């Protein structure tokens, strides 16, 4: 049996530590968590149904159904007067039922928040 070569053992240890360290550096470290971009969220939303009911929308926005209806009616009134700014609330009506686009809602929410709209 060959005697243990300490230089081979030490160089292997250094090489292993280097690989592990490099992977942490390239990954951004274990402690840093990246915040997903809005586009990532939009793509994950698209994997589900593209439309939500009024109840689902209210739950998604952490509002009541009447508050969501108030937003829709406020925007409709402003658009009727020609004073509405920005993109409209993304809804459609099918057989008297209101459905809201998930992707459109996220875009509308970002814009409404940026403009600090009041309803």
């Amino acid at each position: 049996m060959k005697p243990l070569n300490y230089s081979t053992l030490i160089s292997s240890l250094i090489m292993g530590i280097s690989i592990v360290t490099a992977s942490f550096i390239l990954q951004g470290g274990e402690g840093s968590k990246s915040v997903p971009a809005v586009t990532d969220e939009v793509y994950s939303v698209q994997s589900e149904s593209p439309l939500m009911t009024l109840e689902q929308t209210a739950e998604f926005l952490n509002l009541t159904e009447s508050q969501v209806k108030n937003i829709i009616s406020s925007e409709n009134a402003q658009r009727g007067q020609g004073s509405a700014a920005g993109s409209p609330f993304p809804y459609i009506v099918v057989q008297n039922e209101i459905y809201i686009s998930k992707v459109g809602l996220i875009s509308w929410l970002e814009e409404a928040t940026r403009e600090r709209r009041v309803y």
Side-chain angles (χ1 to χ4, degrees):
M1 192 160 160
K2 262 179 146 177
L4 186 60
N5 188 347
Y6 287 110
S7 62
T8 304
L9 181 64
I10 292 173
S11 63
S12 296
L13 184 63
I14 291 172
M15 184 84 125
I17 291 173
S18 299
I19 291 172
V20 171
T21 304
S23 68
F24 275 112
I25 291 171
L26 292 175
Q27 184 182 13
E30 187 177 49
S32 67
K33 301 287 182 189
S34 63
V35 178
V38 173
T39 54
D40 293 342
E41 186 176 329
V42 169
Y43 291 127
S44 70
V45 165
Q46 286 178 341
S47 67
E48 301 168 5
S49 174
L51 294 176
M52 294 188 291
T53 63
L54 193 60
E55 180 182 352
Q56 291 169 328
T57 302
E59 185 177 325
F60 180 78
L61 295 174
N62 198 26
L63 299 172
T64 64
E65 288 183 44
S66 62
Q67 288 173 318
V68 175
K69 286 181 182 179
N70 182 39
I71 291 171
I72 293 170
S73 62
S74 295
E75 285 203 354
N76 286 340
Q78 290 175 354
R79 293 208 183 279
Q81 297 171 354
S83 63
S87 62
F89 192 81
Y91 76 97
I92 59 172
V93 179
V94 178
Q95 296 179 346
N96 295 327
E97 292 290 325
I98 298 173
Y99 295 97
I100 295 90
S101 164
K102 285 183 182 181
V103 174
L105 180 63
I106 292 169
S107 297
W108 173 86
L109 184 59
E110 289 175 343
E111 183 178 324
T113 304
R114 241 186 343 269
E115 295 175 359
R116 300 191 190 283
R117 294 184 196 166
V118 177
Y119 294 97

